[in-house]
């Protein structure tokens, strides 16, 4: 089934559902099983290690880490482990309360999402798995909350990967930040400027630069501050304001944390070297 990320996000935001169970399986290489069925509940499959091929209603999906798969309830299912490694995966089954056909057709379908390899998703899954062993309403609430976190991460990352003219967007954003670094820039404002949510913008920026937008901005500001300290006689407070910090004390703390030197030490050493 072709998935519209915006629709899928909207469905999960509106429906009333509960997590039924979380299972983990490790299957030996070469194992095959045909003529089975999926669970009576819809479920999301998270590959952790190895590869397999599953057929939902005769439609094949090659499963490996970096992808997430959805299977509807009571679907014909065939599966085989590929390659020489064990097939290690987790599946989260959930139940939609109400008219599933009318309110949440995605729950009855099979589809694939590609968020990319994400250790955060796997860590949260393991948290869910351990909490699931504990009975009680508080555990159920925690599990549902963690599942929403996973869904948010999957859908955000998948959406970003689908729109991968992102390298140019990030390059443009980085250049803008270099030109406007003295202004009080924030991630939400930058994200809005490029038609993205804060989470999407931060994900893409980290993906293409190797650092968060905030870290990039701070490092650039500290580099400019260092240049100004070593080449001008401007007071520290003036330099702090010039590179975007109205509080000189905060600027001095941040500068020392990033460079290992206070602004005055940096200026003194700069003069010695020159």
């Amino acid at each position: 089934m072709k998935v519209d990320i915006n629709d899928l996000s909207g469905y999960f935001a509106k429906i009333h559902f509960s997590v039924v169970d979380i299972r983990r399986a490790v299957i030996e290489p070469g194992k095959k099983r045909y003529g089975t069925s999926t669970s009576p509940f819809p479920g999301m499959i998270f590959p952790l290690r190895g590869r397999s091929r599953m057929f939902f209603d005769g439609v094949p999906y090659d499963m490996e880490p970096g992808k997430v798969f959805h299977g509807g309830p009571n679907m014909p299912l065939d599966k085989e482990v590929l390659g020489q490694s064990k097939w290690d995966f987790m599946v989260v089954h959930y139940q939609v309360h109400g008219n599933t056909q009318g309110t949440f057709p995605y729950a009855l379908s099979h589809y694939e999402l590609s968020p990319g390899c994400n250790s955060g998703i796997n860590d949260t899954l393991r948290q869910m798995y351990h909490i699931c062993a504990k009975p009680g309403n508080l555990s159920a609430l925690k599990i549902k909350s963690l599942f929403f976190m996973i869904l948010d991460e999957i859908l955000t990352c998948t959406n970003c990967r689908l729109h991968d003219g992102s390298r140019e967007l990030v390059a443009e954003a980085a250049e803008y930040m270099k030109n406007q670094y003295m202004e009080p820039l924030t991630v939400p404002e930058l994200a809005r400027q490029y038609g993205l949510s804060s989470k999407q913008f931060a994900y893409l920026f980290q993906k293409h630069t190797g650092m968060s937008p905030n870290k990039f901005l701070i490092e650039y500001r500290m580099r400019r501050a260092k240049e100004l300290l070593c080449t001008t006689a401007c007071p520290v407070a003036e330099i702090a304001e010039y590179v975007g910090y109205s509080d000189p004390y905060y600027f001095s703390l941040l500068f020392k944390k990033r460079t290992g030197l206070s602004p005055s030490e940096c200026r003194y050493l700069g003069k010695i070297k020159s």
Side-chain angles (χ1 to χ4, degrees):
M1 177 183 182
K2 187 174 175 60
V3 178
D4 183 302
I5 297 298
N6 191 53
D7 280 351
L8 187 56
S9 302
Y11 279 127
F12 270 114
K14 292 172 187 173
I15 61 165
H16 175 45
F17 74 94
S18 55
V19 175
V20 176
D21 63 28
I22 306 153
R23 301 178 188 178
R24 183 172 185 177
V26 181
I27 304 175
E28 296 295 324
K31 288 285 185 181
K32 300 179 182 180
R33 199 168 175 197
Y34 302 120
T36 64
S37 302
T38 60
S39 161
F41 301 101
M44 299 193 85
I45 299 167
F46 299 83
L48 302 176
R49 185 164 56 98
R51 295 171 54 238
S52 81
R53 180 173 292 126
M54 290 192 184
F55 296 80
F56 293 104
D57 241 348
V59 178
Y61 291 91
D62 285 345
M63 300 189 171
E64 59 188 359
K67 298 179 180 179
V68 177
F69 302 85
H70 185 278
N74 299 310
M75 282 184 170
L77 176 66
D78 298 325
K79 48 191 175 182
E80 57 181 321
V81 179
L82 305 175
Q84 303 304 311
S85 299
K86 292 180 180 180
W87 164 236
D88 184 359
F89 69 98
M90 295 181 77
V91 57
V92 178
H93 292 114
Y94 64 95
Q95 180 176 13
V96 179
H97 305 286
N99 178 8
T100 315
Q101 183 72 50
T103 61
F104 195 50
Y106 281 113
L108 306 177
S109 307
H110 51 80
Y111 55 84
E112 173 183 336
L113 299 168
S114 298
C117 291
N118 189 314
S119 59
I121 291 174
N122 292 346
D123 290 344
T124 308
L125 268 174
R126 291 185 179 95
Q127 274 185 269
M128 287 179 66
Y129 184 69
H130 291 303
I131 294 171
C132 198
K134 303 172 185 176
N137 290 331
L138 184 57
S139 293
L141 178 63
K142 286 180 180 177
I143 287 168
K144 188 169 183 178
S145 174
L146 290 171
F147 191 47
F148 269 121
M149 287 172 60
I150 288 172
L151 286 171
D152 179 31
E153 193 71 14
I154 290 170
L155 297 173
T156 297
C157 293
T158 299
N159 193 48
C160 289
R161 287 166 67 88
L162 286 173
H163 300 89
D164 219 1
S166 55
R167 187 178 295 278
E168 292 77 12
L169 181 150
V170 169
E172 183 181 329
E175 195 60 32
Y176 177 84
M177 291 162 77
K178 287 179 181 178
N179 290 329
Q180 303 294 323
Y181 67 91
M182 66 291 295
E183 300 297 329
L185 301 175
T186 66
V187 171
E189 287 170 356
L190 288 165
R192 276 196 298 275
Q193 187 169 319
Y194 294 98
L196 299 170
S197 70
S198 296
K199 191 177 182 71
Q200 289 171 332
F201 180 76
Y203 168 81
L204 290 174
F205 203 92
Q206 178 81 37
K207 175 183 174 183
H208 292 300
T209 68
M211 66 181 78
S212 68
N214 281 330
K215 184 178 180 182
F216 178 89
L217 183 59
I218 290 169
E219 289 200 355
Y220 189 78
R221 283 172 167 172
M222 294 303 107
R223 191 158 64 246
R224 287 291 296 126
K226 190 175 179 180
E227 290 171 3
L228 292 168
L229 285 164
C230 295
T231 58
T232 74
C234 295
V236 171
E238 193 174 314
I239 290 175
E241 189 170 358
Y242 183 79
V243 298
Y245 298 100
S246 57
D247 183 345
Y249 178 70
Y250 174 72
F251 163 75
S252 296
L253 289 176
L254 192 59
F255 188 87
K256 184 158 189 177
K257 182 179 178 182
R258 296 285 171 168
T259 67
L261 299 170
S262 68
S264 57
E265 288 170 336
C266 177
R267 170 167 277 166
Y268 176 73
L269 289 174
K271 286 179 179 177
I272 292 176
K273 288 177 182 178
S274 61

